[in-house]
Amino acid sequence: MKHVTKKRHIAKTLTWRVLATTDTFIIAWFITGEWNWAGAIAGMEVITKMFLYYFHERAWYNHIKFGLEKKK
């Protein structure tokens, strides 16, 4: 099994945030019809969810064994 570094988790966090925040911006703009509101919502969301995702990813990697199989 390959070793997964924290840098990989950080890179995954950042690339996912770009995609997910773009989605949030589009949804917020669609609902509000306001670019500035959509930007404010997406701006807050990008900060909070980046940290939440990183710690969620690390918790799964370090503590949750669900879905892992032993190498044969």
Side-chain angles (χ1 to χ4, degrees):
M1 187 169 164
K2 295 181 182 179
H3 174 70
V4 178
T5 66
K6 288 183 181 180
K7 287 181 182 180
R8 178 178 170 86
H9 291 294
I10 292 169
K12 251 178 105 175
T13 299
L14 294 173
T15 58
W16 171 248
R17 276 304 358 123
V18 169
L19 181 61
T21 300
T22 301
D23 178 55
T24 298
F25 178 86
I26 291 167
I27 291 169
W29 174 67
F30 180 75
I31 291 171
T32 66
E34 301 286 336
W35 289 95
N36 57 339
W37 274 100
I41 292 167
M44 290 295 294
E45 180 260 3
V46 73
I47 294 167
T48 58
K49 288 188 180 174
M50 187 167 36
F51 289 105
L52 291 171
Y53 178 85
Y54 176 79
F55 291 115
H56 177 261
E57 177 77 11
R58 294 297 298 163
W60 268 84
Y61 181 76
N62 289 318
H63 304 291
I64 299 171
K65 304 302 179 203
F66 175 79
L68 296 178
E69 296 178 355
K70 289 187 179 184
K71 195 174 183 180
K72 294 180 182 183

